């Protein structure tokens, strides 16, 4: 003991000379998982949280209450393929070049799944993509198709249905109330159980992915439902879920007894109140079916412990007029067609939760090209300095509105610019027609877009300013982004052309592109 006491000061002196250990560096926070849920042809306000008093959407309402709802969101192209390319490129349709459902991009593009895959994400899709050509994976490591898309290495819903029920069973109707009406024939009852319906099958594949994905990597899962897009084929209990007689007609629907009650051949013009009510009831039922499956996805995230580090996005590629102005479907620049739902919830464990996860409703105008920069910022994924046209929504979620451009553009056959008060629509095909090629609406005093004020001298300056903005927007053609290590899609050497079968069908039926 005496010896120990004698040498203890020596040990202390030596220890004082030893370099202090560096504090352990904190591991960087794991990149969040991303669950991107997209529906097809869903009007912006067909949710309880958006004020709809009839349709039941408890899971979307909960997502809105736990996240953020962007109440004034627009697609930049109100039809499937152009809108979806814009979501995944953050570029306008006239820039990426896929301006219609039958049109491929002008040149290979840098797509979101490829960017995330390059950053170490495990990427997967279950459902609809609608890119051209349709047999590529577009950066998705796993591709479960609702139809015939993708590389075909995984089961598809039609193949599943054929094996279980026989060929073409997925659309075999047991009830069809309006078989002779171009629009009404889209309505019908299916005989198989709901568990075999397309939204349930798509959700089942997502649940499989949650169970089987590589736990060492973050994931990007794109769950893309065809619903509530037509045809309105429904299983029980959805077939009788909403009473058509209790569905109110839109305020701008005007039945004209002097015109035929049958829907127009292109199914865009409707004059039959009974069909509008019945189709709307079926549409609401499809929205509730989607909501039920969103609930299954969210429950699985909680059950597997993934919810705390998963960014959730819910949106649509475009809307549906649902009888507004006696119109149906999409493709128009009116609110029912061009405006979309957009909900976001940040990972609760992330620093972005404080901005996004309080149930706030943001009324600033946003575009679907803003989604990609937003989720990349939350995921800590850098985007190129050139070619990206959207803007991250993170500042808006944080309450910083200074400098935000309060406007939205959209295009298809017609073009649109929308500001907080006004909307200008241009249809070049009507340049020589009575009334001219422009429509101008004051959305503050005329939210239903029934009073075209373009010829009113009091709004001549507004018209000129908006027309100049539209012209400047169309003239902007930024180059394709370049990211080292990320291959543009379709990859170099892949022919950029429509699927031959689709092209043949389009030639046989002139309205096919509109109906899809």
């Amino acid at each position: 003991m005496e010896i120990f006491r004698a040498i203890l000061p020596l040990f202390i002196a030596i220890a004082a000379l030893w370099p202090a250990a560096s504090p352990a560096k904190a591991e960087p926070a794991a990149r969040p998982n991303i669950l991107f849920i997209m529906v097809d042809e869903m009007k912006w306000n067909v949710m309880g949280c958006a004020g709809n008093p009839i349709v039941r959407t408890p899971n979307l309402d909960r997502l809105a209450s736990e996240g953020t709802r962007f109440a004034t969101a627009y697609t930049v192209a109100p039809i499937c393929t152009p809108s979806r390319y814009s979501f995944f490129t953050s570029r306008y349709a006239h820039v990426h070049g896929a301006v219609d459902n039958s049109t491929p991009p002008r040149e290979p593009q840098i797509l979101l799944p490829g960017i995330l895959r390059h950053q170490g994400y495990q990427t997967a899709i279950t459902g609809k993509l609608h890119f051209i050509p349709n047999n590529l994976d577009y950066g998705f490591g796993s591709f479960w198709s609702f139809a015939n898309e993708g590389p075909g290495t995984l089961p598809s819903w039609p193949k599943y249905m054929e094996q279980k029920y026989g060929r073409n069973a997925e659309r075999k109707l047991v009830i069809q109330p309006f078989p002779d009406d171009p629009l009404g024939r889209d309505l019908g009852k299916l005989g198989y159980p709901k568990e075999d319906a397309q939204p349930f099958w798509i959700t089942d594949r997502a649940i499989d992915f949650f169970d089987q994905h590589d736990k060492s990597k973050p994931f990007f899962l794109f769950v893309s439902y065809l619903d509530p897009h037509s045809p309105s084929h429904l299983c029980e209990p959805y077939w009788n879920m909403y009473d058509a007689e209790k569905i109110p007609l839109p305020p701008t629907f005007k039945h004209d007894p002097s015109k035929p009650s049958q829907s127009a051949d292109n199914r865009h013009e409707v004059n039959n109140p009974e069909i509008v009510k019945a189709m709307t009831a079926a549409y609401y039922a499809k929205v509730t079916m989607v909501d039920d499956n969103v609930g299954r996805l969210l429950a699985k995230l909680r059950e597997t412990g993934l919810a705390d580090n998963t960014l959730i996005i819910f949106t649509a590629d475009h809307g549906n007029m649902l009888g507004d102005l006696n119109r149906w479907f999409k493709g128009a620049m009116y609110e029912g067609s061009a405006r979309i739902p957009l909900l976001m919830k940040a990972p609760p464990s992330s620093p972005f939760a404080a901005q996004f996860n309080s149930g706030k409703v943001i009324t600033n105008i946003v575009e679907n090209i803003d989604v990609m920069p937003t989720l990349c910022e939350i995921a800590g994924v850098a985007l190129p300095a050139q070619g990206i046209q959207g803007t991250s929504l993170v500042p808006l979620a944080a309450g910083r509105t200074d400098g935000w451009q309060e406007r939205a553009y959209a295009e298809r056959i017609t073009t649109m610019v929308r500001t907080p008060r006004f909307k200008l629509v241009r249809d070049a095909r009507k340049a020589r027609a009575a009334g001219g090629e422009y429509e101008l609406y004051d959305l503050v005093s005329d939210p239903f877009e029934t009073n075209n004020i373009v010829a009113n001298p009091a709004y001549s300056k507004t018209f000129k300013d908006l027309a100049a903005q539209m012209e400047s927007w169309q003239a902007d053609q930024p180059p394709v982004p370049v990211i080292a290590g990320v291959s543009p899609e379709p990859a170099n050497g892949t022919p950029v052309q429509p699927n031959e079968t689709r092209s043949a069908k389009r030639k046989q039926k002139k309205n096919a592109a509109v109906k899809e």
Side-chain angles (χ1 to χ4, degrees):
M1 181 64 72
E2 292 299 325
I3 295 175
F4 177 75
R5 288 175 179 171
I7 65 174
L8 180 59
L10 180 62
F11 277 119
I12 294 173
I14 294 173
L17 296 174
W18 198 265
S22 300
K25 291 184 178 180
E27 289 293 323
R31 278 190 165 147
N33 305 309
I34 302 171
L35 173 59
F36 192 145
I37 307 169
M38 180 177 285
V39 292
D40 197 330
E41 206 167 279
M42 182 169 168
K43 193 176 182 181
W44 68 277
N45 60 356
V46 187
M47 299 181 290
C49 60
N52 190 292
I54 298 174
V55 67
R56 296 188 290 276
T57 54
N59 295 294
L60 294 177
D61 297 346
R62 176 179 176 180
L63 181 59
S65 70
E66 295 178 350
T68 295
R69 181 168 71 90
F70 294 89
T72 319
Y74 288 85
T75 174
V76 299
I79 192 167
C80 299
T81 297
S83 176
R84 290 162 181 262
Y85 268 113
S86 291
F87 266 112
F88 277 13
T89 62
S90 192
R91 291 157 67 82
Y92 291 109
H94 71 274
V95 176
H96 59 61
V99 295
D100 212 330
N101 281 345
S102 59
T103 310
R106 186 178 298 108
E107 55 189 317
Q109 302 287 317
I110 295 289
L111 300 176
L112 176 62
I115 294 173
L116 294 176
R117 195 174 187 177
H118 180 64
Q119 292 290 333
Y121 272 77
Q122 187 176 1
T123 58
I125 175 176
T126 172
K128 173 179 178 176
L129 185 59
H130 210 162
F131 283 0
I132 298 170
N134 70 351
N135 62 335
L136 305 180
D137 62 31
Y138 290 99
F140 289 108
S142 301
F143 201 128
W144 293 277
S145 175
F146 86 107
N148 61 347
E149 297 183 305
T153 57
L154 295 173
S156 68
W157 180 62
K159 288 296 183 184
Y160 163 80
M161 293 296 288
E162 181 177 349
Q163 292 171 0
K164 190 167 184 177
Y165 296 107
R167 192 172 182 181
N168 298 323
E170 69 271 18
R171 291 194 175 187
K172 186 175 181 181
L173 301 178
V174 295
I175 297 176
Q176 191 175 20
F178 305 101
D180 299 322
D181 186 271
L183 175 63
R185 70 168 63 105
D186 275 351
L187 181 63
K189 180 181 178 181
L190 296 164
Y192 50 80
K194 69 174 186 179
E195 287 77 14
D196 289 326
Q198 172 248 117
F200 283 83
W201 184 89
I202 288 173
T203 304
D204 287 345
R205 304 290 75 74
I207 289 173
D208 290 343
F209 178 82
F210 290 147
D211 287 332
Q212 300 166 10
H213 75 280
D214 184 347
K215 307 299 190 294
S216 68
K217 297 180 179 180
F219 65 75
F220 171 72
L221 176 61
F222 185 50
V223 179
S224 182
Y225 299 108
L226 177 67
D227 295 299
H229 192 293
S230 62
S232 295
H233 296 172
L234 292 159
C235 306
E236 292 289 9
Y238 302 102
W239 172 249
N240 286 311
M241 181 165 284
Y242 294 98
D243 185 350
E245 292 301 316
K246 295 181 180 179
I247 301 292
L249 291 168
T252 58
F253 177 85
K254 308 297 180 186
H255 174 58
D256 188 346
S258 67
K259 293 182 179 180
S261 62
Q262 182 164 309
S263 306
D265 286 342
N266 64 11
R267 306 184 300 167
H268 276 250
E269 299 174 13
V270 291
N271 189 40
N272 187 324
E274 183 183 7
I275 287 179
V276 170
K277 285 172 169 282
M279 294 293 291
T280 303
Y283 182 94
Y284 285 177
K286 279 202 160 193
V287 170
T288 297
M289 179 165 55
V290 166
D291 184 85
D292 288 345
N293 281 280
V294 169
R296 295 177 64 209
L297 292 173
L298 301 183
K300 186 65 177 181
L301 286 178
R302 294 189 295 269
E303 175 191 322
T304 53
L306 295 168
D308 198 47
N309 193 37
T310 299
L311 166 62
I312 303 171
I313 303 156
F314 175 88
T315 190
D317 52 0
H318 52 76
N320 187 317
M321 292 296 289
L322 290 187
D324 289 347
L325 302 170
N326 288 68
R327 295 177 65 98
W328 205 266
F329 292 121
K330 67 276 190 171
M333 297 301 154
Y334 302 115
E335 294 290 276
S337 168
R339 196 166 167 182
I340 57 174
L342 179 58
L343 311 176
M344 287 191 187
K345 181 182 178 183
S349 63
S350 80
F352 297 92
Q355 294 103 306
F356 278 90
N357 297 358
S358 62
K360 71 177 68 173
V361 178
I362 293 176
T363 58
N364 301 81
I365 296 172
V366 304
E367 299 171 303
N368 68 339
I369 58 172
D370 299 329
V371 170
M372 176 174 153
T374 306
L375 65 87
C376 283
E377 179 173 351
I378 294 174
V381 173
L383 289 173
Q386 67 173 26
I388 299 298
Q389 296 183 288
T391 304
S392 172
L393 299 170
V394 169
L396 281 186
R400 302 192 301 272
T401 59
D402 292 347
W404 187 260
Q405 297 188 45
E406 292 286 352
R407 54 95 188 102
Y409 297 107
E411 59 194 322
R412 194 190 168 218
I413 299 170
T414 53
T415 51
M416 175 198 90
V417 56
R418 202 280 206 206
T419 66
R421 180 176 176 183
F422 295 102
K423 178 188 289 186
L424 181 68
V425 178
R426 179 176 183 261
D427 187 343
R429 299 169 303 174
K430 297 180 179 179
R432 298 181 180 179
E437 61 186 303
Y438 289 98
E439 299 171 47
L440 178 64
Y441 298 101
D442 183 340
L443 295 180
V444 173
S445 62
D446 179 28
F448 297 123
E449 302 169 290
T450 59
N451 182 26
N452 180 9
I453 57 175
V454 72
N456 188 329
Y459 298 98
S460 59
K461 184 179 185 304
T462 297
F463 164 68
K464 290 178 183 178
D465 288 347
L466 293 177
Q469 288 184 43
M470 186 181 290
E471 183 177 353
S472 177
W473 160 61
Q474 285 283 285
D476 186 24
Q477 295 278 352
V480 175
V482 176
I483 301 177
V486 180
S487 298
E489 295 285 354
N492 292 334
T494 302
V496 182
Q497 60 187 9
N499 176 275
E500 291 300 322
T501 302
R502 288 176 62 102
S503 297
K505 289 181 179 179
R506 290 180 187 281
K507 291 177 182 178
Q508 294 170 8
K509 208 168 186 179
K510 64 180 181 180
N511 291 318
V514 175
K515 295 178 181 178
E516 286 187 320

